[in-house]
Amino acid sequence: MVKPKVQVENLRLSYGPREVIHGISFDIEPNEILGIIGPAQSGKTSLLRCINRTIEFTVGAKPSGTIRVDGEDISEMRNVYELRRRVGMVAPLPVGLPLSIYDNVAFAPRAAGMKKKGELDTLVEKCLTQSALWDEVKDRLDSLGTKLSGGQQQRLTIARALSHSPEILCLDEFSIAIDPVTTMRIEDVLKVLKKEVTIILVTNLVQQARRLAARTMFLWNGEIIELGPTEQLFGDKPKDKRTYDYVNGIFG
Amino acid sequence: MNMPADAQPVAQFGETPFTRKKQRSEKIARAIFAVMVACIVIPLIVIIGYLVKEGYSLISWKFLTTNPTHGMREGGIWSALLGTFWLVGVSLCISAPIGVLAAVYLNEYAKDNWFTRVVNLAVVNLAGVPSIVHALFGLGAFVLFAHMGRSILAASLTLAIMTMPVIIASTKEALAAVPRQFREACWNVGATKWQTIWRIVLPNSISGILTGVILQVSRTAGETAPIMFTGAVFYRRIEEGNLFAYNITDQCMALSTHLFAVKTQVTNAPEALSFAIALVLLGLVVFVNLTAILIRSWLRGRKKW
Ligand SMILES: Nc1ncnc2c1ncn2[C@@H]1O[C@H](COP(=O)(O)OP(=O)(O)O)[C@@H](O)[C@H]1O
Ligand SMILES: [Mg+2]
């Protein structure tokens, strides 16, 4: 049996007095795409932010329970920056940093200490190619990342997330602000990336999970309603009636 | 008779009694604003014009670069001019770095707890303390307690204490104008807080920071009370043409106190002299403010999002 890439055990999270994740446990296999679906406010973003420990930047957020990456408890990791490089994160709204396209992608490797121009050049090209943006920007790597279109900025964000060679890639409703064509291109990218990284795909489009994920989790109000093979959740007989209602859009 | 309904006088596209009324109130509002602007601009022009008319005759390169003579009734303003430069320069070297770093700490690092809130409150309130109070503090703390005596150092420290809260406030505002999503994007790729500040936050707030600092230069140049108690003298001759004619432990003359002295302590001083001094002071302030505006618009033009 393969060792899980990520193990979440009895994770709870509260913002101040309000608990928003109520003790959830699940494993993520290496090189799988795990889909996470669920209505807004159900704690999907918060869950991802616990995994890369950026939750620590939110005042008053208190996580408890354990999350292990490759068996190692992340709360005991001394180098949290290393953890964040191992867990890439793509936020819902595209964020081009106010730097050139090149510097956007080279930002993380430089922060990690990579200095050689040649290595950086190769890496930037590789990441932009992987995120299906290279052909569009290869002639203007010096122009500002913030001036790209929304869809291009989202692919730039993905390139930036790939630039620190993550083992796990978290995508948080990445298609919320981009057009369907770009969405499909990125989905194709993800199918290829799956060979190298483990992907957690939070999505507001249930069909996207169906297209990409081998297993899907239905998160609702901070609890896992159902986690299983995607076809089971999307079939006629999911274990829980709420899953059926949500997936088929009759959720009230 | 029996006119069709649409045969009224030709109205402009979209014009109705309602929009006409709106246009009228628009005109009235515009007139009121124009009057307000005039109320501000006209006195300014009158003041400057008056100063120029009365004081211009005395202004010359020689006036700027020679010491006052004959009981300050004749000669130039060299020692006062250089004194002002020193006071502004030294105080800025103290208040700008400390103020900016304090603002970075408060805005980027400090947790939101009671201590931070007290500090923020103190900063806001200190910015509103009258300068004469700072003067007394400077006298007590630097001149007497720290045994600096009346000196450029003590006066500059007093000025620095006075300007620091304002620099902190304006810097914080400039930092807060950088969207939080940029910081989060950096943290997400494993950048430390400092890397984020250095690579993203500071480069994109520098125009606001600089403007805030430079505006304090012009304020410092004009202050009288804080330096009168702590380091300014009535009269002093220094070597002409040497920018380092003052030592940091010396007392110095300054334009603002010189103007005050000429007007109130010196009998039979020529009328034009005080106007000329005021004109130089005003010229300095205008020059500095223009620099601030230029830097701001230049950096704005390179705004990156
Ligand atoms: N920074 C925060 N401070 C306080 N409450 C928050 C914060 N972020 C999210 N929440 C709350 O946590 C719950 C889960 O939010 P979130 O994780 O964003 O859900 P989702 O991503 O599924 O829409 C919501 O009720 C939301 O109001
Ligand atoms: Mg969310």
Side-chain angles (χ1 to χ4, degrees):
Chain A
M1 190 194 140
V2 276
K3 256 181 62 192
K5 187 74 190 168
V6 182
Q7 293 162 285
V8 176
E9 255 169 55
N10 196 22
L11 176 73
R12 288 173 186 277
L13 173 71
S14 28
Y15 291 108
R18 209 170 122 244
E19 193 175 86
V20 300
I21 296 181
H22 313 290
I24 58 175
S25 308
F26 61 96
D27 290 351
I28 304 173
E29 311 296 329
N31 298 68
E32 78 166 332
I33 296 185
L34 174 72
I36 302 183
I37 57 174
Q41 309 287 298
S42 50
K44 305 181 297 293
T45 303
S46 305
L47 169 62
L48 295 186
R49 298 188 60 219
C50 288
I51 299 179
N52 79 345
R53 277 179 62 182
T54 48
I55 195 75
E56 290 167 10
F57 291 112
T58 303
V59 182
K62 275 191 300 295
S64 69
T66 31
I67 299 177
R68 292 198 180 79
V69 171
D70 283 337
E72 192 185 352
D73 187 342
I74 63 163
S75 66
E76 278 162 18
M77 288 184 185
R78 298 275 293 287
N79 189 344
V80 65
Y81 310 109
E82 178 66 35
L83 170 71
R84 292 191 191 129
R85 283 192 284 271
R86 288 169 65 187
V87 183
M89 179 73 70
V90 176
L93 297 176
V95 183
L97 291 173
L99 301 168
S100 72
I101 295 172
Y102 184 97
D103 290 342
N104 257 282
V105 185
F107 181 86
R110 279 184 182 142
M114 187 189 279
K115 287 201 185 69
K116 291 208 190 77
K117 178 94 173 63
E119 283 176 39
L120 283 171
D121 286 349
T122 324
L123 187 68
V124 167
E125 177 170 352
K126 181 179 149 230
C127 296
L128 285 172
T129 311
Q130 273 184 323
S131 64
L133 188 60
W134 175 252
D135 289 331
E136 288 163 53
V137 301
K138 63 173 179 243
D139 302 319
R140 48 177 175 136
L141 292 175
D142 294 338
S143 53
L144 279 175
T146 40
K147 299 276 154 79
L148 293 173
S149 76
Q152 289 173 324
Q153 283 197 42
Q154 189 61 299
R155 278 175 284 159
L156 183 64
T157 313
I158 294 177
R160 200 169 56 222
L162 295 174
S163 70
H164 42 87
S165 319
E167 301 156 21
I168 301 156
L169 183 63
C170 306
L171 296 131
D172 189 0
E173 308 191 338
F174 74 89
S175 52
I176 206 160
I178 57 181
D179 62 282
V181 178
T182 315
T183 304
M184 294 317 282
R185 289 186 67 178
I186 297 179
E187 287 188 11
D188 292 339
V189 170
L190 296 180
K191 285 178 201 150
V192 180
L193 274 176
K194 187 175 78 157
K195 297 195 192 89
E196 293 170 37
V197 297
T198 306
I199 295 174
I200 308 176
L201 177 75
V202 168
T203 176
N204 53 328
L205 311 170
V206 288
Q207 292 308 321
Q208 191 169 54
R210 187 174 200 173
R211 286 194 293 271
L212 294 172
R215 292 193 311 149
T216 298
M217 173 164 116
F218 175 39
L219 191 68
W220 184 59
N221 271 347
E223 283 173 70
I224 299 178
I225 302 298
E226 189 164 347
L227 167 60
T230 301
E231 279 321 308
Q232 177 191 317
L233 271 81
F234 285 86
D236 292 336
K237 291 240 171 318
K239 288 216 184 82
D240 198 295
K241 172 139 190 331
R242 284 169 294 184
T243 314
Y244 183 85
D245 290 351
Y246 180 71
V247 167
N248 293 289
I250 42 179
F251 201 75
Chain B
M1 43 176 70
N2 256 350
M3 295 246 287
D6 56 3
Q8 286 162 355
V10 189
Q12 264 181 314
F13 179 69
E15 198 180 56
T16 66
F18 178 67
T19 57
R20 267 197 292 278
K21 197 168 155 206
K22 245 173 57 178
Q23 277 167 5
R24 200 174 323 129
S25 46
E26 180 97 343
K27 266 185 201 147
I28 294 174
R30 216 181 295 164
I32 292 177
F33 285 124
V35 170
M36 297 293 181
V37 170
C39 287
I40 299 166
V41 171
I42 291 175
L44 189 72
I45 294 177
V46 170
I47 292 172
I48 295 179
Y50 184 56
L51 281 181
V52 171
K53 178 172 154 285
E54 298 288 328
Y56 184 72
S57 59
L58 269 186
I59 305 259
S60 66
W61 183 245
K62 188 150 176 274
F63 180 72
L64 296 178
T65 55
T66 54
N67 283 316
T69 54
H70 296 88
M72 307 210 294
R73 288 184 195 91
E74 283 172 36
I77 53 166
W78 168 247
S79 48
L81 185 62
L82 188 67
T84 292
F85 275 125
W86 270 75
L87 290 172
V88 170
V90 175
S91 74
L92 208 66
C93 287
I94 301 161
S95 63
I98 300 181
V100 170
L101 288 180
V104 168
Y105 174 76
L106 287 173
N107 200 59
E108 307 290 326
Y109 287 99
K111 297 236 164 60
D112 182 29
N113 51 28
W114 68 267
F115 178 74
T116 317
R117 262 173 260 153
V118 168
V119 171
N120 281 325
L121 201 68
V123 168
V124 172
N125 283 301
L126 275 177
V129 170
S131 59
I132 187 79
V133 177
H134 287 290
L136 288 175
F137 172 77
L139 179 66
F142 304 125
V143 177
L144 301 176
F145 182 76
H147 297 292
M148 289 177 190
R150 293 172 180 242
S151 59
I152 291 182
L153 185 60
S156 299
L157 280 168
T158 310
L159 289 170
I161 295 284
M162 186 186 79
T163 50
M164 212 173 312
V166 189
I167 292 184
I168 293 178
S170 63
T171 305
K172 265 180 65 184
E173 208 168 291
L175 295 173
V178 177
R180 185 180 160 89
Q181 57 186 30
F182 290 156
R183 295 178 177 82
E184 284 177 357
C186 293
W187 299 335
N188 274 340
V189 295
T192 63
K193 273 203 163 178
W194 175 246
Q195 285 168 334
T196 307
I197 293 168
W198 184 247
R199 296 287 319 279
I200 301 292
V201 179
L202 282 180
N204 289 291
S205 53
I206 193 74
S207 78
I209 295 175
L210 278 183
T211 315
V213 170
I214 293 176
L215 287 180
Q216 288 313 297
V217 172
S218 54
R219 176 167 168 230
T220 317
E223 278 295 344
T224 316
I227 58 175
M228 213 145 59
F229 291 167
T230 53
V233 277
F234 181 68
Y235 179 67
R236 202 189 138 118
R237 287 184 70 85
I238 54 165
E239 192 190 333
E240 284 166 6
N242 178 4
L243 287 177
F244 295 93
Y246 280 120
N247 206 314
I248 198 157
T249 50
D250 290 346
Q251 290 180 292
C252 68
M253 287 178 73
L255 286 176
S256 54
T257 49
H258 186 45
L259 176 59
F260 179 70
V262 165
K263 207 62 202 160
T264 60
Q265 322 278 312
V266 180
T267 46
N268 300 331
E271 248 335 86
L273 182 57
S274 48
F275 286 105
I277 299 170
L279 191 57
V280 172
L281 191 52
L282 191 74
L284 271 182
V285 170
V286 169
F287 173 75
V288 167
N289 288 359
L290 274 183
T291 317
I293 292 171
L294 284 181
I295 290 183
R296 200 190 179 86
S297 62
W298 180 65
L299 288 168
R300 269 259 183 80
R302 310 186 331 155
K303 200 165 167 59
K304 293 184 179 144
W305 71 86

